[in-house]
Amino acid sequence: METLLAHPAIKAFMCGSLSGTCSTLLFQPLDLVKTRLQTLQSGMQPGSGRVGMMSVLLSVVRTETLVGLWKGVFPSFVRTIPGVGIYFSTYHSLKQHFLQDRRPGAVQAVMLGGGARTVAGVVMLPITVIKTRFECGRYSYVSVCGALRSVCQTEGPAALFSGLMATLLRDVPFSGIYVMFYSQTKASLPQEISSSPSAPLANFSCGILAGVLASVITQPADVVKTHVQVKPQLRTTEAIRSIYVERGLQGFFRGAVPRSLRRTMMAAMAWTVYEQMMERIGLKS
């Protein structure tokens, strides 16, 4: 058992899981607001005061209390804790296998980030579907296990993998672009900053920049993914057509602000915590 726990990939999994726990708990309200914005009824006019980020947030607090902002946090934990662990352990294993201790170049960083996200995304997709349904407020699930059972019984197991293509089209480019920008920005830092006590803050700042760029580029795929998972009868192409007909091009960027805030802060925090923990246990991230 001790030998297993000493394996670098297991250590990376544990570090990643802890970083995912911290970031999920802090930023779940932003994910809920993003999901609510993306699944508003089509009768609500884009640009009206009723569909802004703050109005949705206040509406949730008013109707579901402050705790309502953390609705779906348990399925988020169920997804994120192992999911981020799988992501970082896969990333670490791929990096060690192909690059050993060398710093990845831009293309290599894209491949490492995209490969790790593909593995984690496919494995955790059923929980992602349940999390999205919890957050949208249209389903009355009581627990994650009950939701999984209900979906399998009423819609079939295939529904748990609805939005797979849209999810991969969102997450794989996001992770690849994020790791590329993050690694290249971090590499450009002066050595005196990288080795100083302020290195975690500098790394976090690099993560913020990388997260904003990656979030904006992949936002349309996130909107499509949300629609397919809330309405699994829709195909990806049908969801794209529906969003465009109902809301135009701007519909593909609905919820961009809360998602960008959440994804950027979560990714920056997760990578900062992960790298600090890996350094503490004597491993290169």
Side-chain angles (χ1 to χ4, degrees):
M1 183 66 176
E2 290 183 2
T3 304
L4 180 63
L5 292 175
H7 194 281
I10 300 299
K11 289 183 177 180
F13 178 90
M14 295 171 66
C15 293
S17 294
L18 180 58
S19 68
T21 302
C22 298
S23 54
T24 297
L25 184 61
L26 282 174
F27 303 118
Q28 175 63 21
L30 289 172
D31 201 28
L32 181 136
V33 170
K34 181 268 296 184
T35 300
R36 296 288 177 93
L37 277 170
Q38 290 179 352
T39 55
L40 283 172
Q41 298 301 317
S42 58
M44 301 180 73
Q45 294 300 315
S48 70
R50 295 180 296 168
V51 295
M53 174 180 166
M54 288 305 299
S55 61
V56 171
L57 189 149
L58 292 174
S59 174
V60 172
V61 173
R62 193 162 48 244
T63 59
E64 304 174 41
T65 75
L66 188 63
V67 178
L69 291 173
W70 275 266
K71 188 172 185 178
V73 73
F74 185 69
S76 289
F77 277 141
V78 174
R79 182 194 68 158
T80 303
I81 293 175
V84 177
I86 291 169
Y87 171 80
F88 278 118
S89 61
T90 304
Y91 174 85
H92 181 78
S93 298
L94 290 173
K95 186 170 181 287
Q96 291 301 306
H97 180 74
F98 291 107
L99 301 177
Q100 284 76 48
D101 290 328
R102 290 182 288 116
R103 189 188 301 276
V107 175
Q108 292 168 325
V110 171
M111 298 300 291
L112 287 173
R117 180 53 60 193
T118 299
V119 173
V122 172
V123 171
M124 300 309 299
L125 186 62
I127 305 301
T128 302
V129 172
I130 297 302
K131 180 189 91 60
T132 302
R133 293 190 178 194
F134 263 94
E135 291 172 349
C136 77
R138 297 184 185 180
Y139 294 84
S140 55
Y141 299 136
V142 176
S143 66
V144 174
C145 290
L148 289 168
R149 187 165 52 250
S150 174
V151 172
C152 287
Q153 291 175 346
T154 61
E155 304 172 42
L160 292 173
F161 289 88
S162 59
L164 173 61
M165 186 58 65
T167 298
L168 293 179
L169 287 173
R170 176 198 67 171
D171 288 351
V172 173
F174 177 92
S175 184
I177 294 167
Y178 180 92
V179 174
M180 179 189 70
F181 281 124
Y182 179 72
S183 61
Q184 298 306 302
T185 306
K186 186 180 167 187
S188 68
L189 294 174
Q191 182 59 38
E192 54 268 23
I193 294 179
S194 300
S195 57
S196 70
S198 61
L201 180 60
N203 293 344
F204 188 80
S205 300
C206 292
I208 294 276
L209 176 61
V212 170
L213 294 171
S215 293
V216 171
I217 293 171
T218 58
Q219 177 62 23
D222 183 67
V223 176
V224 174
K225 184 270 311 180
T226 299
H227 277 261
V228 172
Q229 291 180 346
V230 172
K231 300 177 180 178
Q233 70 274 15
L234 287 178
R235 297 179 182 273
T236 300
T237 52
E238 292 172 339
I240 293 172
R241 188 181 306 111
S242 173
I243 294 166
Y244 180 75
V245 169
E246 292 181 5
R247 299 167 180 168
L249 289 176
Q250 63 181 344
F252 292 99
F253 291 89
R254 186 178 288 268
V257 173
R259 175 175 179 262
S260 294
L261 285 173
R262 175 186 171 275
R263 286 301 298 264
T264 297
M265 298 299 287
M266 279 193 71
M269 174 176 285
W271 273 90
T272 301
V273 172
Y274 166 76
E275 291 187 329
Q276 290 303 301
M277 290 189 66
M278 292 288 279
E279 186 177 322
R280 293 283 182 99
I281 62 177
L283 291 177
K284 287 189 176 182
S285 56

